[in-house]
């Protein structure tokens, strides 16, 4: 049972990336999925989440630039990141979870994440 994030890389400021979160060993369709990022020395930050019904929620800091979506037929959740900034540099992770009120709680283990570096 694993979620693996991929699609990171080195991108110039203003560029775009689409990250993928692929599940193995289970099907995603009954789970909410969240995308997170972490930079050294800071807490992991929830960026976006999507319910099993496809309702998306975003952190204020990424609204308008990040889009989360899911393709249950491919057992994959995506994070489209546009207008990348150097401060978006981080390791990006995905995890399954659930909502309790307005809060998203993770319920899976953390994978290795995918590195996104924004630099000219």
């Amino acid at each position: 049972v694993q979620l693996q994030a991929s699609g990171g890389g080195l991108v110039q400021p203003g560029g775009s990336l689409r990250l993928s979160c692929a599940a193995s060993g289970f099907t995603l369709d009954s789970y909410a999925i969240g995308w997170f990022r972490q930079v050294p020395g800071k807490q992991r930050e929830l960026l976006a989440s999507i319910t099993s019904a496809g309702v998306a929620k975003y952190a204020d800091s990424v609204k308008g630039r990040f889009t989360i979506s899911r393709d249950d037929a491919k057992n994959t959740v995506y994070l489209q990141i546009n207008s990348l900034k150097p401060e978006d540099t981080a390791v990006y992770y995905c995890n399954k979870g659930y909502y309790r009120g307005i809060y998203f709680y993770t319920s899976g283990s953390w994978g290795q994440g995918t590195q996104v570096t924004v630099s000219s």
Side-chain angles (χ1 to χ4, degrees):
V1 177
Q2 190 175 0
L3 282 168
Q4 183 60 53
S6 63
L10 174 62
V11 186
Q12 290 189 339
S16 298
L17 277 177
R18 188 175 79 158
L19 307 183
S20 298
C21 174
S24 61
F26 72 104
T27 53
L28 282 177
D29 58 3
S30 58
Y31 292 96
I33 303 296
W35 276 100
F36 303 76
R37 70 184 176 193
Q38 189 171 25
V39 297
K42 292 190 176 181
Q43 281 192 324
R44 198 164 292 175
E45 173 189 17
L46 174 63
L47 304 170
S49 57
I50 188 165
T51 70
S52 57
V55 177
K57 300 181 181 182
Y58 300 93
D60 288 342
S61 59
V62 304
K63 279 181 182 175
R65 293 196 302 122
F66 288 30
T67 303
I68 189 170
S69 61
R70 64 191 302 151
D71 186 340
D72 289 337
K74 294 183 178 180
N75 219 25
T76 302
V77 172
Y78 302 99
L79 185 69
Q80 177 71 37
I81 311 175
N82 297 326
S83 303
L84 277 156
K85 305 174 182 180
E87 51 264 42
D88 293 321
T89 296
V91 180
Y92 285 69
Y93 302 86
C94 58
N95 206 335
K96 61 183 180 74
Y98 58 94
Y99 294 95
R100 185 165 292 166
I102 63 171
Y103 297 103
F104 181 87
Y105 294 88
T106 59
S107 60
S109 57
W110 293 102
Q112 291 186 338
T114 186
Q115 175 71 47
V116 172
T117 302
V118 185
S119 175
S120 54

